[in-house]
mmCIF file of all heavy atoms in Angstrom:
data_model
loop_
_atom_site.group_PDB
_atom_site.id
_atom_site.type_symbol
_atom_site.label_atom_id
_atom_site.label_comp_id
_atom_site.label_asym_id
_atom_site.label_seq_id
_atom_site.Cartn_x
_atom_site.Cartn_y
_atom_site.Cartn_z
ATOM 1 N N GLN A 496 -3.885 194.862 3.605
ATOM 2 C CA GLN A 496 -2.653 195.328 2.977
ATOM 3 C C GLN A 496 -2.614 196.835 2.732
ATOM 4 O O GLN A 496 -1.532 197.392 2.534
ATOM 5 C CB GLN A 496 -2.421 194.591 1.662
ATOM 6 C CG GLN A 496 -2.131 193.117 1.863
ATOM 7 C CD GLN A 496 -1.375 192.504 0.696
ATOM 8 O OE1 GLN A 496 -0.750 193.194 -0.097
ATOM 9 N NE2 GLN A 496 -1.423 191.194 0.589
ATOM 10 N N VAL A 497 -3.756 197.513 2.741
ATOM 11 C CA VAL A 497 -3.730 198.956 2.445
ATOM 12 C C VAL A 497 -4.148 199.834 3.615
ATOM 13 O O VAL A 497 -3.873 201.030 3.623
ATOM 14 C CB VAL A 497 -4.616 199.309 1.225
ATOM 15 C CG1 VAL A 497 -4.115 198.607 -0.009
ATOM 16 C CG2 VAL A 497 -6.081 198.993 1.478
ATOM 17 N N LYS A 498 -4.819 199.262 4.610
ATOM 18 C CA LYS A 498 -5.215 200.066 5.759
ATOM 19 C C LYS A 498 -4.039 200.220 6.716
ATOM 20 O O LYS A 498 -3.170 199.370 6.810
ATOM 21 C CB LYS A 498 -6.405 199.439 6.489
ATOM 22 C CG LYS A 498 -7.678 199.408 5.654
ATOM 23 C CD LYS A 498 -8.275 200.792 5.471
ATOM 24 C CE LYS A 498 -9.061 201.208 6.705
ATOM 25 N NZ LYS A 498 -9.817 202.453 6.479
ATOM 26 N N LEU A 499 -4.063 201.271 7.503
ATOM 27 C CA LEU A 499 -2.923 201.600 8.343
ATOM 28 C C LEU A 499 -3.022 201.009 9.738
ATOM 29 O O LEU A 499 -2.175 201.262 10.576
ATOM 30 C CB LEU A 499 -2.799 203.124 8.468
ATOM 31 C CG LEU A 499 -2.718 203.895 7.158
ATOM 32 C CD1 LEU A 499 -2.595 205.378 7.445
ATOM 33 C CD2 LEU A 499 -1.536 203.433 6.334
ATOM 34 N N THR A 500 -4.032 200.210 10.020
ATOM 35 C CA THR A 500 -4.314 199.843 11.404
ATOM 36 C C THR A 500 -3.689 198.535 11.852
ATOM 37 O O THR A 500 -3.481 198.331 13.038
ATOM 38 C CB THR A 500 -5.830 199.721 11.612
ATOM 39 O OG1 THR A 500 -6.352 198.778 10.668
ATOM 40 C CG2 THR A 500 -6.504 201.064 11.389
ATOM 41 N N THR A 501 -3.391 197.627 10.950
ATOM 42 C CA THR A 501 -2.971 196.294 11.359
ATOM 43 C C THR A 501 -1.742 196.324 12.245
ATOM 44 O O THR A 501 -1.680 195.659 13.269
ATOM 45 C CB THR A 501 -2.699 195.416 10.132
ATOM 46 O OG1 THR A 501 -3.852 195.427 9.296
ATOM 47 C CG2 THR A 501 -2.384 193.996 10.538
ATOM 48 N N TRP A 502 -0.740 197.088 11.829
ATOM 49 C CA TRP A 502 0.479 197.205 12.637
ATOM 50 C C TRP A 502 0.613 198.617 13.194
ATOM 51 O O TRP A 502 1.711 199.119 13.380
ATOM 52 C CB TRP A 502 1.696 196.826 11.800
ATOM 53 C CG TRP A 502 1.674 195.399 11.393
ATOM 54 C CD1 TRP A 502 1.959 194.320 12.174
ATOM 55 C CD2 TRP A 502 1.316 194.877 10.116
ATOM 56 N NE1 TRP A 502 1.810 193.155 11.456
ATOM 57 C CE2 TRP A 502 1.418 193.481 10.184
ATOM 58 C CE3 TRP A 502 0.921 195.457 8.917
ATOM 59 C CZ2 TRP A 502 1.140 192.651 9.109
ATOM 60 C CZ3 TRP A 502 0.637 194.637 7.851
ATOM 61 C CH2 TRP A 502 0.751 193.257 7.951
ATOM 62 N N GLN A 503 -0.524 199.258 13.441
ATOM 63 C CA GLN A 503 -0.517 200.620 13.941
ATOM 64 C C GLN A 503 0.334 201.492 13.019
ATOM 65 O O GLN A 503 0.125 201.544 11.826
ATOM 66 C CB GLN A 503 -0.061 200.650 15.400
ATOM 67 C CG GLN A 503 -1.011 199.853 16.318
ATOM 68 C CD GLN A 503 -0.529 199.812 17.748
ATOM 69 O OE1 GLN A 503 0.173 200.684 18.212
ATOM 70 N NE2 GLN A 503 -0.938 198.776 18.475
ATOM 71 N N ARG A 504 1.324 202.181 13.535
ATOM 72 C CA ARG A 504 2.093 203.124 12.712
ATOM 73 C C ARG A 504 3.033 202.423 11.749
ATOM 74 O O ARG A 504 3.535 203.042 10.811
ATOM 75 C CB ARG A 504 2.905 204.055 13.622
ATOM 76 C CG ARG A 504 2.049 204.927 14.517
ATOM 77 C CD ARG A 504 2.908 205.822 15.403
ATOM 78 N NE ARG A 504 3.812 205.050 16.254
ATOM 79 C CZ ARG A 504 3.457 204.473 17.380
ATOM 80 N NH1 ARG A 504 2.205 204.561 17.795
ATOM 81 N NH2 ARG A 504 4.336 203.801 18.104
ATOM 82 N N GLY A 505 3.338 201.130 11.976
ATOM 83 C CA GLY A 505 4.347 200.462 11.189
ATOM 84 C C GLY A 505 3.988 200.273 9.729
ATOM 85 O O GLY A 505 4.846 200.368 8.859
ATOM 86 N N HIS A 506 2.722 199.974 9.451
ATOM 87 C CA HIS A 506 2.312 199.799 8.054
ATOM 88 C C HIS A 506 1.879 201.163 7.537
ATOM 89 O O HIS A 506 0.720 201.541 7.588
ATOM 90 C CB HIS A 506 1.176 198.788 7.974
ATOM 91 C CG HIS A 506 0.858 198.378 6.562
ATOM 92 N ND1 HIS A 506 1.664 198.689 5.497
ATOM 93 C CD2 HIS A 506 -0.174 197.682 6.035
ATOM 94 C CE1 HIS A 506 1.141 198.199 4.373
ATOM 95 N NE2 HIS A 506 0.029 197.589 4.676
ATOM 96 N N ASN A 507 2.862 201.915 7.010
ATOM 97 C CA ASN A 507 2.631 203.319 6.672
ATOM 98 C C ASN A 507 2.304 203.503 5.202
ATOM 99 O O ASN A 507 2.794 204.436 4.560
ATOM 100 C CB ASN A 507 3.852 204.151 7.058
ATOM 101 C CG ASN A 507 5.157 203.493 6.579
ATOM 102 O OD1 ASN A 507 5.143 202.678 5.658
ATOM 103 N ND2 ASN A 507 6.259 203.850 7.205
ATOM 104 N N TYR A 508 1.487 202.615 4.662
ATOM 105 C CA TYR A 508 1.100 202.749 3.256
ATOM 106 C C TYR A 508 0.312 204.040 3.079
ATOM 107 O O TYR A 508 -0.591 204.343 3.863
ATOM 108 C CB TYR A 508 0.277 201.544 2.814
ATOM 109 C CG TYR A 508 0.018 201.541 1.328
ATOM 110 C CD1 TYR A 508 1.058 201.298 0.434
ATOM 111 C CD2 TYR A 508 -1.242 201.814 0.821
ATOM 112 C CE1 TYR A 508 0.844 201.325 -0.931
ATOM 113 C CE2 TYR A 508 -1.472 201.836 -0.542
ATOM 114 C CZ TYR A 508 -0.418 201.591 -1.420
ATOM 115 O OH TYR A 508 -0.627 201.628 -2.771
ATOM 116 N N PRO A 509 0.610 204.827 2.066
ATOM 117 C CA PRO A 509 -0.032 206.140 1.924
ATOM 118 C C PRO A 509 -1.533 206.043 1.691
ATOM 119 O O PRO A 509 -2.028 205.130 1.029
ATOM 120 C CB PRO A 509 0.689 206.750 0.721
ATOM 121 C CG PRO A 509 1.268 205.590 -0.028
ATOM 122 C CD PRO A 509 1.602 204.570 1.010
ATOM 123 N N GLU A 510 -2.234 207.020 2.224
ATOM 124 C CA GLU A 510 -3.681 207.095 2.029
ATOM 125 C C GLU A 510 -3.997 207.952 0.804
ATOM 126 O O GLU A 510 -3.153 208.689 0.303
ATOM 127 C CB GLU A 510 -4.334 207.695 3.274
ATOM 128 C CG GLU A 510 -4.136 206.876 4.534
ATOM 129 C CD GLU A 510 -4.807 207.509 5.729
ATOM 130 O OE1 GLU A 510 -5.995 207.242 5.972
ATOM 131 O OE2 GLU A 510 -4.123 208.277 6.425
ATOM 132 N N GLY A 511 -5.244 207.854 0.343
ATOM 133 C CA GLY A 511 -5.708 208.707 -0.739
ATOM 134 C C GLY A 511 -5.523 208.102 -2.116
ATOM 135 O O GLY A 511 -5.288 206.903 -2.279
ATOM 136 N N GLU A 512 -5.617 208.967 -3.138
ATOM 137 C CA GLU A 512 -5.544 208.547 -4.531
ATOM 138 C C GLU A 512 -4.118 208.151 -4.913
ATOM 139 O O GLU A 512 -3.150 208.812 -4.541
ATOM 140 C CB GLU A 512 -6.010 209.687 -5.440
ATOM 141 C CG GLU A 512 -7.476 210.057 -5.289
ATOM 142 C CD GLU A 512 -8.391 209.039 -5.944
ATOM 143 O OE1 GLU A 512 -8.026 208.526 -7.017
ATOM 144 O OE2 GLU A 512 -9.477 208.771 -5.386
ATOM 145 N N ILE A 513 -4.013 207.058 -5.650
ATOM 146 C CA ILE A 513 -2.712 206.579 -6.117
ATOM 147 C C ILE A 513 -2.832 206.250 -7.606
ATOM 148 O O ILE A 513 -3.773 205.584 -8.035
ATOM 149 C CB ILE A 513 -2.262 205.339 -5.334
ATOM 150 C CG1 ILE A 513 -2.021 205.710 -3.860
ATOM 151 C CG2 ILE A 513 -0.998 204.737 -5.940
ATOM 152 C CD1 ILE A 513 -1.679 204.541 -2.984
ATOM 153 N N GLU A 514 -1.890 206.737 -8.379
ATOM 154 C CA GLU A 514 -1.915 206.522 -9.831
ATOM 155 C C GLU A 514 -1.165 205.251 -10.182
ATOM 156 O O GLU A 514 -0.034 205.039 -9.743
ATOM 157 C CB GLU A 514 -1.292 207.716 -10.543
ATOM 158 C CG GLU A 514 -1.505 207.703 -12.047
ATOM 159 C CD GLU A 514 -1.058 208.987 -12.704
ATOM 160 O OE1 GLU A 514 -1.809 209.984 -12.671
ATOM 161 O OE2 GLU A 514 0.075 208.989 -13.234
ATOM 162 N N VAL A 515 -1.804 204.390 -10.967
ATOM 163 C CA VAL A 515 -1.190 203.153 -11.427
ATOM 164 C C VAL A 515 -1.489 202.999 -12.911
ATOM 165 O O VAL A 515 -2.380 203.669 -13.447
ATOM 166 C CB VAL A 515 -1.742 201.922 -10.652
ATOM 167 C CG1 VAL A 515 -1.361 201.994 -9.187
ATOM 168 C CG2 VAL A 515 -3.250 201.792 -10.828
ATOM 169 N N PRO A 516 -0.757 202.126 -13.622
ATOM 170 C CA PRO A 516 -1.083 201.875 -15.028
ATOM 171 C C PRO A 516 -2.537 201.431 -15.182
ATOM 172 O O PRO A 516 -3.092 200.761 -14.315
ATOM 173 C CB PRO A 516 -0.113 200.758 -15.412
ATOM 174 C CG PRO A 516 1.036 200.928 -14.474
ATOM 175 C CD PRO A 516 0.428 201.381 -13.184
ATOM 176 N N ALA A 517 -3.143 201.809 -16.278
ATOM 177 C CA ALA A 517 -4.544 201.449 -16.519
ATOM 178 C C ALA A 517 -4.710 199.942 -16.607
ATOM 179 O O ALA A 517 -3.845 199.252 -17.170
ATOM 180 C CB ALA A 517 -5.044 202.112 -17.792
ATOM 181 N N ARG A 518 -5.795 199.450 -16.060
ATOM 182 C CA ARG A 518 -6.050 198.016 -16.103
ATOM 183 C C ARG A 518 -6.393 197.559 -17.514
ATOM 184 O O ARG A 518 -6.056 196.441 -17.914
ATOM 185 C CB ARG A 518 -7.197 197.694 -15.137
ATOM 186 C CG ARG A 518 -7.553 196.235 -15.035
ATOM 187 C CD ARG A 518 -8.459 195.979 -13.838
ATOM 188 N NE ARG A 518 -9.585 195.147 -14.173
ATOM 189 C CZ ARG A 518 -10.853 195.488 -14.048
ATOM 190 N NH1 ARG A 518 -11.177 196.677 -13.596
ATOM 191 N NH2 ARG A 518 -11.811 194.652 -14.381
ATOM 192 N N LYS A 519 -7.045 198.414 -18.254
ATOM 193 C CA LYS A 519 -7.409 198.091 -19.641
ATOM 194 C C LYS A 519 -6.968 199.240 -20.527
ATOM 195 O O LYS A 519 -7.200 200.405 -20.207
ATOM 196 C CB LYS A 519 -8.918 197.873 -19.759
ATOM 197 C CG LYS A 519 -9.434 196.693 -18.931
ATOM 198 C CD LYS A 519 -10.943 196.535 -19.048
ATOM 199 C CE LYS A 519 -11.440 195.363 -18.216
ATOM 200 N NZ LYS A 519 -12.927 195.201 -18.301
ATOM 201 N N GLY A 520 -6.323 198.914 -21.625
ATOM 202 C CA GLY A 520 -5.835 199.946 -22.523
ATOM 203 C C GLY A 520 -4.530 200.545 -22.032
ATOM 204 O O GLY A 520 -3.844 199.992 -21.179
ATOM 205 N N SER A 521 -4.188 201.709 -22.586
ATOM 206 C CA SER A 521 -2.926 202.367 -22.249
ATOM 207 C C SER A 521 -3.169 203.484 -21.246
ATOM 208 O O SER A 521 -4.297 203.725 -20.818
ATOM 209 C CB SER A 521 -2.283 202.926 -23.531
ATOM 210 O OG SER A 521 -3.172 203.856 -24.142
ATOM 211 N N GLY A 522 -2.079 204.149 -20.867
ATOM 212 C CA GLY A 522 -2.198 205.269 -19.951
ATOM 213 C C GLY A 522 -2.228 204.830 -18.499
ATOM 214 O O GLY A 522 -1.816 203.733 -18.139
ATOM 215 N N THR A 523 -2.733 205.710 -17.657
ATOM 216 C CA THR A 523 -2.776 205.442 -16.223
ATOM 217 C C THR A 523 -4.180 205.683 -15.685
ATOM 218 O O THR A 523 -5.039 206.263 -16.361
ATOM 219 C CB THR A 523 -1.791 206.353 -15.458
ATOM 220 O OG1 THR A 523 -2.179 207.727 -15.654
ATOM 221 C CG2 THR A 523 -0.372 206.131 -15.938
ATOM 222 N N THR A 524 -4.392 205.213 -14.476
ATOM 223 C CA THR A 524 -5.654 205.451 -13.786
ATOM 224 C C THR A 524 -5.362 205.776 -12.333
ATOM 225 O O THR A 524 -4.357 205.315 -11.774
ATOM 226 C CB THR A 524 -6.577 204.216 -13.874
ATOM 227 O OG1 THR A 524 -7.834 204.520 -13.264
ATOM 228 C CG2 THR A 524 -5.974 203.023 -13.143
ATOM 229 N N SER A 525 -6.196 206.589 -11.737
ATOM 230 C CA SER A 525 -6.010 206.985 -10.345
ATOM 231 C C SER A 525 -7.134 206.395 -9.516
ATOM 232 O O SER A 525 -8.304 206.443 -9.902
ATOM 233 C CB SER A 525 -6.011 208.513 -10.229
ATOM 234 O OG SER A 525 -5.815 208.909 -8.889
ATOM 235 N N MET A 526 -6.769 205.794 -8.375
ATOM 236 C CA MET A 526 -7.803 205.223 -7.519
ATOM 237 C C MET A 526 -7.361 205.288 -6.064
ATOM 238 O O MET A 526 -6.175 205.354 -5.746
ATOM 239 C CB MET A 526 -8.114 203.779 -7.906
ATOM 240 C CG MET A 526 -7.030 202.776 -7.564
ATOM 241 S SD MET A 526 -7.556 201.051 -7.784
ATOM 242 C CE MET A 526 -7.697 200.978 -9.569
ATOM 243 N N ASN A 527 -8.347 205.293 -5.199
ATOM 244 C CA ASN A 527 -8.111 205.192 -3.762
ATOM 245 C C ASN A 527 -8.359 203.743 -3.370
ATOM 246 O O ASN A 527 -9.515 203.318 -3.291
ATOM 247 C CB ASN A 527 -9.047 206.133 -2.996
ATOM 248 C CG ASN A 527 -8.801 206.116 -1.499
ATOM 249 O OD1 ASN A 527 -8.446 205.095 -0.927
ATOM 250 N ND2 ASN A 527 -9.020 207.258 -0.863
ATOM 251 N N PRO A 528 -7.316 202.945 -3.156
ATOM 252 C CA PRO A 528 -7.514 201.504 -2.933
ATOM 253 C C PRO A 528 -8.341 201.198 -1.693
ATOM 254 O O PRO A 528 -9.159 200.286 -1.697
ATOM 255 C CB PRO A 528 -6.095 200.957 -2.812
ATOM 256 C CG PRO A 528 -5.258 202.137 -2.438
ATOM 257 C CD PRO A 528 -5.896 203.312 -3.112
ATOM 258 N N ALA A 529 -8.142 201.980 -0.627
ATOM 259 C CA ALA A 529 -8.920 201.733 0.595
ATOM 260 C C ALA A 529 -10.398 201.963 0.342
ATOM 261 O O ALA A 529 -11.258 201.214 0.823
ATOM 262 C CB ALA A 529 -8.416 202.625 1.727
ATOM 263 N N SER A 530 -10.708 202.997 -0.449
ATOM 264 C CA SER A 530 -12.108 203.296 -0.761
ATOM 265 C C SER A 530 -12.739 202.167 -1.567
ATOM 266 O O SER A 530 -13.902 201.792 -1.332
ATOM 267 C CB SER A 530 -12.198 204.613 -1.533
ATOM 268 O OG SER A 530 -13.528 204.893 -1.917
#
Side-chain angles (χ1 to χ4, degrees):
Q496 293 203 20
V497 299
K498 295 289 280 189
L499 305 180
T500 56
T501 306
W502 295 284
Q503 298 177 27
R504 297 180 301 279
H506 190 11
N507 47 22
Y508 188 70
E510 298 180 88
E512 294 285 322
I513 295 176
E514 191 172 280
V515 295
R518 182 167 133 240
K519 297 179 180 179
S521 59
T523 62
T524 184
S525 181
M526 71 170 69
N527 183 326
S530 177

